[in-house]
């Protein structure tokens, strides 16, 4: 199984500042034939289901604010919130969908400082 | 608009069974797979597996074989998760989620169904 890790476990950022979350896979999730990394990011607020933010490591889902961006390839990925807003307080998960089981990272909790 | 509406919360005794439904609307049901994800209280997301809505073929993650069954009723665009021989460790919110075929990232999620197992 591909093991996903995230860092940090939690972070507190001032409003308007940048938040950066890292995700690492135990093996590459890059599919060489199309040069795409099979990596998605989700946001989960308390009492709500997860919401898709990013897929193919860097493609923003329709309707997601452009302050959210994804980067990385292969085994190392980053989710960046360029200017944290109050409504961004949530837990963020990465997920690989390269190989079954499609494992999630343990999550990173983002709070306001 | 795309919606996945799950059945309501369940309170079950140990040893009982439960069947959670996930009714899809707003899209062609068989054009997307359905994934199931578990979230224990205060914990992260755990991928349970998925079901091919064209063939009905299920795939289960390790740890979700035997007592867990994914099924479909395509006539009413509904997927089901049945869990038998419930224990307290099965207490969790169970989510269904739609995935574009051959691209297994969930783009729409159900609201979740809380299953509580307690004597």
């Amino acid at each position: 199984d591909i093991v996903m890790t995230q860092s940090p476990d939690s972070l507190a950022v001032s409003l308007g500042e940048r938040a950066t979350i890292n995700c690492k896979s135990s093996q590459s999730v890059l599919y060489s034939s199309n040069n795409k990394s099979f990596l998605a990011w989700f946001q989960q607020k308390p009492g709500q289901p997860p919401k898709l933010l990013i897929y193919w490591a860097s493609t923003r889902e329709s309707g997601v604010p452009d302050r959210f961006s994804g980067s990385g390839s292969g085994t190392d990925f980053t989710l960046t919130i360029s200017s944290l807003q109050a409504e961004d307080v949530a837990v963020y998960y990465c997920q690989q969908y390269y190989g079954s089981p499609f494992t999630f990272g343990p999550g990173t909790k983002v709070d306001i400082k | 608009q795309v919606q996945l509406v799950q059945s309501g919360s369940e309170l079950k005794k140990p040893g009982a069974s439960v069947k959670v439904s996930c009714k899809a609307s707003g899209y062609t049901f068989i054009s997307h797979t359905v994934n199931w994800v578990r979230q224990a209280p205060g914990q992260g997301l755990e991928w349970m597996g998925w079901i091919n809505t064209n063939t009905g073929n299920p795939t289960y993650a390790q740890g979700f074989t035997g007592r867990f069954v994914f099924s479909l009723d395509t006539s009413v665009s509904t997927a089901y998760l049945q869990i038998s021989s419930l224990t307290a460790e099965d207490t969790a919110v169970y989510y269904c989620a739609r995935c574009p075929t051959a691209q297994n990232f969930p783009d729409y999620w159900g609201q979740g169904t809380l299953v509580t197992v307690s004597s």
Side-chain angles (χ1 to χ4, degrees):
Chain A
D1 296 3
I2 299 175
V3 177
M4 307 300 291
T5 57
Q6 290 183 231
S7 62
D9 295 335
S10 64
L11 74 161
V13 175
S14 300
L15 288 172
E17 296 300 306
R18 179 185 301 260
T20 301
I21 301 168
N22 300 300
C23 172
K24 189 175 182 69
S25 57
S26 62
Q27 64 188 75
S28 177
V29 298
L30 174 66
Y31 191 43
S32 56
S33 67
N34 60 10
N35 202 36
K36 287 186 174 183
S37 289
F38 284 47
L39 190 285
W41 288 97
F42 299 88
Q43 174 194 66
Q44 188 179 32
K45 298 180 180 180
Q48 295 185 19
K51 173 187 174 184
L52 176 66
L53 297 176
I54 303 283
Y55 55 95
W56 301 128
S58 60
T59 301
R60 196 179 304 114
E61 172 71 334
S62 175
V64 173
D66 61 6
R67 64 180 179 273
F68 291 92
S69 63
S71 63
S73 180
T75 61
D76 292 279
F77 303 92
T78 300
L79 175 70
T80 301
I81 310 172
S82 61
S83 175
L84 191 76
Q85 304 300 303
E87 61 265 32
D88 301 334
V89 170
V91 179
Y92 292 84
Y93 296 92
C94 59
Q95 184 201 22
Q96 65 81 19
Y97 50 98
Y98 179 87
S100 180
F102 302 128
T103 42
F104 290 93
T108 294
K109 186 175 182 181
V110 174
D111 271 320
I112 305 295
K113 185 187 292 183
Chain B
Q1 72 282 21
V2 174
Q3 281 192 301
L4 297 172
V5 178
Q6 298 184 225
S7 48
S9 297
E10 300 269 9
L11 174 60
K12 295 291 184 180
K13 294 191 183 302
S17 296
V18 69
K19 192 169 187 177
V20 175
S21 66
C22 170
K23 183 169 176 59
S25 62
Y27 72 99
T28 302
F29 185 63
I30 60 172
S31 66
H32 293 71
T33 67
V34 172
N35 283 216
W36 290 93
V37 175
R38 181 171 77 177
Q39 188 167 39
Q43 303 300 307
L45 303 171
E46 189 174 15
W47 188 78
M48 301 173 64
W50 63 284
I51 185 164
N52 183 319
T53 51
N54 266 298
T55 65
N57 184 48
T59 299
Y60 301 97
Q62 199 169 6
F64 295 101
T65 56
R67 297 190 301 117
F68 298 81
V69 177
F70 307 149
S71 61
L72 302 170
D73 185 343
T74 55
S75 69
V76 289
S77 301
T78 301
Y80 301 94
L81 163 65
Q82 183 160 2
I83 313 171
S84 59
S85 303
L86 288 162
T87 72
E89 285 66 45
D90 294 319
T91 295
V93 175
Y94 292 86
Y95 293 103
C96 63
R98 181 191 89 156
C99 296
T101 301
Q103 302 175 35
N104 283 296
F105 58 86
D107 61 355
Y108 283 88
W109 294 66
Q111 82 276 21
T113 296
L114 173 62
V115 175
T116 303
V117 183
S118 175
S119 54

